[in-house]
């Protein structure tokens, strides 16, 4: 026991000495970021601006990206899917977050669990589950035909409908949680004060609660849109040939065509779009709130 305590003394002294030198800690963190983030990014730039023959710098990949309608279609489809997913998530997520923030503790706990448990489940598992549910002989079509709402099974899989259902299910927590974070911290006396001055419940919500919660809505919309732009698994499993996204195109270019320079250019374009969306969202909601390091 004495030997163990004696051997622990140098390590404790070393830890204290390390904490006493903030410059070393910052240098270590910067070195880690440079190895993990900066070097891969530099490699990506190198591949993207490489000539077709692999020698020398060139803008050939950028010209190819700008001049081909196939890639324009992939970008348009990606933006369309991301925009529709964000809109549906906002329409569902805001009332859900409002109910979470204003209901009693037991129901709030159930609603939170209903959001968080799927959130902790693998995206691949959830996408495969939707393949089972949305198939022609799946549960959804059996319910619709059994209730007499449809004469024959609907095409809910391998098209845009399946992609939107799957992506909304996966990304909905990223919309609900930022809105709930704002709504749960609002002073409940503010809408009550508006109602005491003669405002109806709807007017108090529109003129008091909704404006104060807009930063949370903007943060959630930014997160959902950013994730939707780069989504791969769900569109690849639930989508059809017309649902070609940028992520699927990158996978096709790199794996099937072995065209690493153009795959790097597509990745760089996707990264630039994500950065642009983040900058726009940060202007409305604040970068800290989108990153989850600012509560309000």
């Amino acid at each position: 026991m004495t030997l163990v305590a004696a051997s622990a003394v140098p390590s404790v002294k070393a830890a204290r000495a390390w904490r006493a030198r903030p410059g070393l800690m910052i240098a270590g963190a910067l070195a880690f970021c440079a190895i993990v983030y900066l070097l891969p990014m530099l490699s990506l730039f190198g591949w993207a601006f490489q000539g077709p023959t692999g020698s020398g710098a060139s803008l050939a990949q950028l010209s190819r990206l700008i001049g081909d309608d196939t890639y324009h279609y992939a970008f348009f489809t990606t933006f369309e899917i991301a925009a529709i997913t964000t809109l549906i998530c906002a329409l569902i997520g805001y009332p859900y977050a409002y109910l979470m923030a204003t209901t009693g503790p037991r129901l709030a706990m159930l609603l939170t669990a209903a959001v968080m448990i799927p959130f902790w489940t693998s995206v691949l598992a959830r996408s495969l589950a939707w393949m089972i549910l949305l198939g022609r002989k799946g549960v959804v079509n059996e319910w619709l035909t059994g209730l007499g709402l449809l004469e024959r099974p609907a095409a809910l899989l391998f098209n845009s409908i399946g992609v939107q259902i799957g992506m909304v299910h996966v990304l909905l927590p990223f919309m609900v949680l930022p809105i709930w974070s704002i709504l749960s911290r609002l002073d409940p006396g503010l809408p009550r004060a508006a109602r005491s001055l003669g405002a109806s419940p709807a007017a108090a919500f529109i003129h008091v609660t909704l404006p104060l919660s807009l930063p949370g809505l903007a943060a959630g919309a930014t997160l959902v849109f950013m994730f939707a732009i780069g989504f791969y698994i769900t569109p690849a499993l639930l989508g059809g040939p017309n649902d070609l996204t940028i992520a699927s195109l990158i996978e096709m270019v790199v794996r099937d065509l072995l065209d690493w320079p153009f795959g790097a250019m597509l990745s760089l374009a996707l990264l630039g779009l994500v950065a642009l969306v983040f900058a726009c969202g940060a202007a409305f909601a604040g970068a800290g709130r989108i990153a989850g390091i600012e509560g309000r």
Side-chain angles (χ1 to χ4, degrees):
M1 186 69 181
T2 305
L3 291 176
V4 172
S7 62
V9 171
S11 60
V12 172
K13 289 182 177 179
R16 288 177 177 173
W18 178 259
R19 287 198 295 269
R21 298 176 181 177
L24 292 176
M25 297 178 66
I26 294 174
L30 291 177
F32 175 81
C33 292
I35 295 172
V36 175
Y37 299 108
L38 185 58
L39 289 180
M41 286 302 304
L42 292 176
S43 176
L44 192 66
F45 270 94
W47 278 103
F49 291 98
Q50 191 179 78
T53 58
S55 59
S58 172
L59 297 177
Q61 308 302 336
L62 182 60
S63 302
R64 181 181 170 189
L65 175 62
I66 296 174
D68 197 318
D69 292 339
T70 303
Y71 311 124
H72 300 169
Y73 175 80
F75 276 87
F76 175 78
T77 304
T78 303
F79 265 81
E80 183 182 31
I81 292 174
I84 294 175
T85 301
T86 304
L87 178 61
I88 297 175
C89 284
L91 294 175
I92 298 174
Y94 194 96
Y96 194 94
Y98 184 81
L99 185 60
M100 282 175 59
T102 56
T103 190
R106 291 186 177 180
L107 182 56
M109 185 179 298
L110 290 176
L111 293 174
T112 304
V115 171
M116 296 308 297
I117 291 176
F119 180 65
W120 293 329
T121 307
S122 166
V123 175
L124 177 61
R126 282 184 281 174
S127 299
L128 291 175
W130 277 115
M131 291 184 70
I132 298 173
L133 293 173
L134 298 177
R136 295 187 67 83
K137 295 183 180 180
V139 176
V140 175
N141 267 319
E142 287 188 356
W143 283 353
L144 293 176
T145 54
L147 293 173
L149 299 176
L150 295 176
E151 295 182 357
R152 56 185 178 181
L156 303 176
L157 198 59
F158 306 128
N159 53 32
S160 299
I161 298 176
V163 173
Q164 295 295 346
I165 292 174
M167 290 185 67
V168 168
H169 177 248
V170 172
L171 296 176
L172 186 60
F174 294 100
M175 180 67 76
V176 171
L177 295 179
I179 300 174
W180 169 80
S181 176
I182 292 289
L183 290 174
S184 62
R185 290 178 170 85
L186 287 182
D187 185 356
L190 295 176
R192 282 202 298 267
R195 295 183 62 180
S196 68
L197 294 175
S200 64
F205 173 80
I206 293 174
H207 296 289
V208 177
T209 305
L210 182 60
L212 293 175
S213 62
L214 284 181
L217 181 61
T222 304
L223 286 173
V224 171
F225 199 89
M226 282 195 305
F227 283 119
I229 285 178
F231 232 57
Y232 170 71
I233 294 177
T234 303
L237 291 178
L238 304 180
N242 295 327
D243 303 304
L244 180 64
T245 62
I246 303 173
S248 299
L249 184 61
I250 293 173
E251 185 266 345
M252 184 187 307
V253 168
V254 172
R255 193 183 68 171
D256 297 338
L257 304 180
L258 299 178
D259 193 348
W260 288 79
F262 192 61
M265 177 55 70
L266 289 172
S267 302
L268 207 58
L270 180 60
L271 181 64
L273 289 175
V274 171
L276 180 62
V277 172
F278 180 82
C280 293
F284 290 98
R289 183 172 286 112
I290 297 174
I293 58 177
E294 184 182 354
R296 54 182 303 167

